Amino acid sequence: MRFRGRYIAIALLVFVAAAFASCITETSISNKEREKISLAAWIRLNKPELEENYQEEGGYYVEVLEWGGDEAITPTENELGNAPIMEQDTCWVYYNIVGRDMNGRVCLTRDGSLADLCGTFSYSTHYVPFFNYAGSNNQGLLEGTYLAMRHEITLGEEYRAKLGKSEPFYLRRGSKVRLYLPSSIAYGESGSSAEGGYEGQYSLDANRSMIMEIEVKSVIKNPSEKELDMVDAYIEGAAGWVQAEKAKREDEDDTAEDNTTSDSENEGTTTDKTDDDTLKGLYYRLGFNPKTSDMTSYRYVAPEKVGINNPYRDTKKYANIDDINRRINEILLERFGEGTTDLTDKTKVNTVNTINVWYVLRFMDGYVLDTNIKEVRELVFDDQSGTESVYQYRHADSNPDSEKPASIAAWYYAIPYMHHGAYGEIVTTSAYAYGSVGITGSTTTDTTTTTTPEMAYNNYYNYYNYYNNYYYGYNNYYNYYNYNYFASPSTDSETVTTTTISTEVLPYTPLVFTIFVEEE
């Protein structure tokens, strides 16, 4: 009987194992369903308190880090204050994100301090909150982010009690959550390999669940109005700014006739024009002097006005942006001097000819986005390549009405008022720059192999000494063999890998140019 019972038990075990194997290989279970089961098992093992925070739509879990809406903020005509995002049919959101794989390894981040810890920090990256449309229709948000922003978040009773909250939970200003997302509402079959300096230590493989932290910094209705407010704040009280006109200057003579008042008459004020004559959000200023300019004349402001006074406060030499820009002024003085004070028609640029321009392009918080001056590149981007190229501006090629204008519209409307041998400044909304799309940051890697004859000679010399010691007495044969085969300089080379990052420009981002125009 005991033997018989033992055989029965073994038979049952084999049957159960076979049945379990059959379930595992069942082709009717989709990859999406398998991942759902896997994510649920991970939550049960690592975050069991979140099981009751399961979101049916999307199949993800939510951990609340900051409830949000606690700060007393009075909504303005454009700023939505503490109102829930999902209540707005149309809105734009500033938010920080950090993406990790399920082992907690960083895959992407917009936090400069975290990027520094990960060893992925780049001086060419503008570490500020992401900015995206978050209205009722999804037009660019990651699906998991969209679901979290546009729906009430389900929280279990026990979890809610620990937070001491009884009201519904919606994402709003000040909210910070950690989302545990299946790949179907994250990066799916493509996976994620962030570019533009936002990379983490690792990339996210295809069809992998991920952990996404979201911190909502601000919610606004109209980004164009926000930009205009920022530009107005930038020029407010500052002398010399002139609002650009719609009239397009064809040449030097037309310019003198177009102006009803001279630039000197407008000194210290903005030109008073009607809406039909002027370009909203586009101003230029003449006679900038880097020697006498103090940093208050820059009037740099936090780009989103969302509590980020200096996004580089913890990242090496960017800890003091004012100091960086003072040093840039010193470079400008050394390269171009103080600039001419003769701002009359005889020095005004002739837009029929090619104009040589040097520039420094900044965001409104003082961060340098781009420059064609090598000393500034070395200072700001730690670029040791030593390369530079003067920008050859041709007005005819820069018409914004053409299919592919050679430069942004702000230059087309402002450069004709500049002077040879003098500095000028431009502040503009995105309407005359990179628009509602902006520029996506990217990272490219270039590997070059170069011949190094000096290294080849040293290698040969060392090998020759070795050969003389080892093959002493056979030098006629081996010397010929060694010299012609092993020590040819063409066989020695050095490989250099260069990583280049193009700086991201977010949608609806104002820009500030400092320009020097060469003598004609």
Side-chain angles (χ1 to χ4, degrees):
M1 292 292 292
R2 295 177 63 184
F3 275 100
R4 183 180 179 186
R6 181 182 179 186
Y7 287 130
I8 292 175
I10 292 175
L12 285 172
L13 182 61
V14 171
F15 176 78
V16 170
F20 182 73
S22 176
C23 291
I24 291 296
T25 58
E26 177 58 59
T27 57
S28 62
I29 299 178
S30 65
N31 287 332
K32 182 177 180 180
E33 191 64 25
R34 284 191 180 93
E35 189 180 2
K36 178 181 177 181
I37 295 171
S38 177
L39 180 58
W42 189 95
I43 291 291
R44 189 177 305 114
L45 180 63
N46 297 280
K47 291 280 185 178
E49 70 277 12
L50 301 184
E51 286 189 280
E52 54 181 340
N53 293 355
Y54 177 73
Q55 313 301 306
E56 288 289 345
E57 185 169 0
Y60 65 103
Y61 299 83
V62 177
E63 182 177 1
V64 179
L65 304 177
E66 296 289 343
W67 191 270
D70 296 330
E71 184 181 355
I73 297 174
T74 303
T76 63
E77 187 174 339
N78 196 26
E79 301 273 353
L80 293 172
N82 292 328
I85 297 172
M86 66 169 291
E87 293 181 358
Q88 318 305 318
D89 291 333
T90 301
C91 66
W92 287 71
V93 178
Y94 291 103
Y95 60 101
N96 279 325
I97 56 174
V98 176
R100 294 179 170 88
D101 63 18
M102 298 307 291
N103 290 318
R105 301 177 300 190
V106 177
C107 302
L108 63 103
T109 179
R110 299 190 72 88
D111 184 328
S113 299
L114 180 57
D116 199 18
L117 289 173
C118 292
T120 59
F121 174 82
S122 166
Y123 288 117
S124 300
T125 300
H126 195 213
Y127 291 101
V128 293
F130 198 47
F131 184 55
N132 212 328
Y133 178 76
S136 54
N137 296 319
N138 190 4
Q139 297 181 2
L141 287 171
L142 188 71
E143 183 66 17
T145 303
Y146 173 78
L147 290 173
M149 287 186 176
R150 299 300 308 182
H151 295 82
E152 178 184 344
I153 302 295
T154 299
L155 299 177
E157 292 183 8
E158 187 175 339
Y159 189 85
R160 189 184 291 275
K162 288 180 180 179
L163 295 176
K165 301 288 186 178
S166 58
E167 66 272 23
F169 179 51
Y170 313 95
L171 289 190
R172 66 188 80 201
R173 182 188 181 110
S175 296
K176 185 175 181 180
V177 293
R178 187 173 290 138
L179 311 178
Y180 298 83
L181 307 172
S183 64
S184 58
I185 57 170
Y187 291 98
E189 295 180 356
S190 62
S192 173
S193 181
E195 293 188 335
Y198 300 110
E199 299 92 331
Q201 300 158 292
Y202 304 89
S203 59
L204 184 70
D205 293 336
N207 299 312
R208 292 293 187 272
S209 300
M210 74 172 303
I211 304 169
M212 176 71 81
E213 286 182 13
I214 300 175
E215 181 184 14
V216 180
K217 304 299 293 185
S218 182
V219 186
I220 65 172
K221 295 178 183 177
N222 189 330
S224 295
E225 291 296 326
K226 175 80 169 183
E227 279 193 279
L228 289 174
D229 291 343
M230 293 170 68
V231 170
D232 288 343
Y234 185 86
I235 67 170
E236 183 180 3
W241 287 105
V242 180
Q243 190 170 17
E245 302 177 28
K246 291 182 181 178
K248 305 178 181 65
R249 292 182 40 179
E250 298 297 333
D251 53 39
E252 193 171 9
D253 294 333
D254 291 341
T255 303
E257 297 174 358
D258 286 342
N259 288 330
T260 56
T261 56
S262 67
D263 292 327
S264 60
E265 291 171 344
N266 288 318
E267 186 74 21
T269 62
T270 58
T271 306
D272 188 16
K273 304 286 185 180
T274 66
D275 288 344
D276 291 336
D277 297 329
T278 57
L279 297 167
K280 288 185 176 181
L282 176 56
Y283 296 85
Y284 65 89
R285 181 163 68 168
L286 308 178
F288 169 77
N289 186 336
K291 182 177 182 179
T292 59
S293 173
D294 59 15
M295 293 312 297
T296 58
S297 67
Y298 284 104
R299 303 185 61 80
Y300 291 128
V301 294
E304 294 82 29
K305 299 181 182 177
V306 292
I308 298 179
N309 297 319
N310 181 358
Y312 301 95
R313 58 189 177 277
D314 298 325
T315 47
K316 303 182 178 65
K317 63 185 178 185
Y318 275 108
N320 189 336
I321 285 186
D322 285 353
D323 181 61
I324 288 288
N325 286 301
R326 287 191 185 93
R327 292 161 67 185
I328 289 175
N329 280 352
E330 293 172 359
I331 290 171
L332 296 178
L333 282 169
E334 186 174 344
R335 282 289 301 268
F336 310 115
E338 296 182 42
T340 181
T341 57
D342 182 9
L343 303 181
T344 61
D345 284 347
K346 71 177 183 179
T347 61
K348 194 167 286 186
V349 301
N350 186 338
T351 55
V352 174
N353 299 333
T354 298
I355 305 165
N356 289 340
V357 177
W358 299 93
Y359 66 89
V360 178
L361 172 59
R362 295 175 172 95
F363 292 119
M364 276 196 161
D365 61 353
Y367 175 87
V368 176
L369 161 66
D370 189 23
T371 180
N372 63 343
I373 304 170
K374 67 177 182 180
E375 294 91 344
V376 178
R377 294 196 63 84
E378 291 172 0
L379 171 67
V380 176
F381 302 125
D382 206 24
D383 182 356
Q384 303 301 318
S385 65
T387 60
E388 67 177 13
S389 177
V390 65
Y391 188 93
Q392 295 188 311
Y393 176 85
R394 293 187 71 253
H395 196 61
D397 296 339
S398 300
N399 191 334
D401 295 330
S402 61
E403 184 177 350
K404 291 183 178 180
S407 66
I408 63 174
W411 281 36
Y412 183 79
Y413 294 115
I415 287 287
Y417 296 96
M418 302 296 174
H419 293 257
H420 287 290
Y423 294 94
E425 294 178 285
I426 302 171
V427 57
T428 179
T429 62
S430 64
Y432 312 104
Y434 300 114
S436 60
V437 177
I439 299 175
T440 302
S442 63
T443 301
T444 56
T445 301
D446 182 40
T447 302
T448 57
T449 302
T450 56
T451 302
T452 54
E454 296 83 1
M455 184 183 298
Y457 175 80
N458 289 334
N459 288 344
Y460 160 71
Y461 187 74
N462 291 333
Y463 193 88
Y464 181 75
N465 287 333
Y466 166 77
Y467 133 77
N468 271 334
N469 282 289
Y470 191 80
Y471 294 110
Y472 183 78
Y474 301 92
N475 57 314
N476 288 335
Y477 177 79
Y478 285 104
N479 184 49
Y480 179 86
Y481 182 79
N482 174 71
Y483 181 80
N484 287 280
Y485 185 81
F486 283 99
S488 173
S490 63
T491 64
D492 290 270
S493 60
E494 184 177 28
T495 300
V496 178
T497 300
T498 304
T499 300
T500 303
I501 294 177
S502 61
T503 304
E504 174 194 56
V505 180
L506 288 170
Y508 295 103
T509 300
L511 299 174
V512 182
F513 291 89
T514 300
I515 288 174
F516 180 80
V517 182
E518 285 187 357
E519 295 285 355
E520 189 172 15

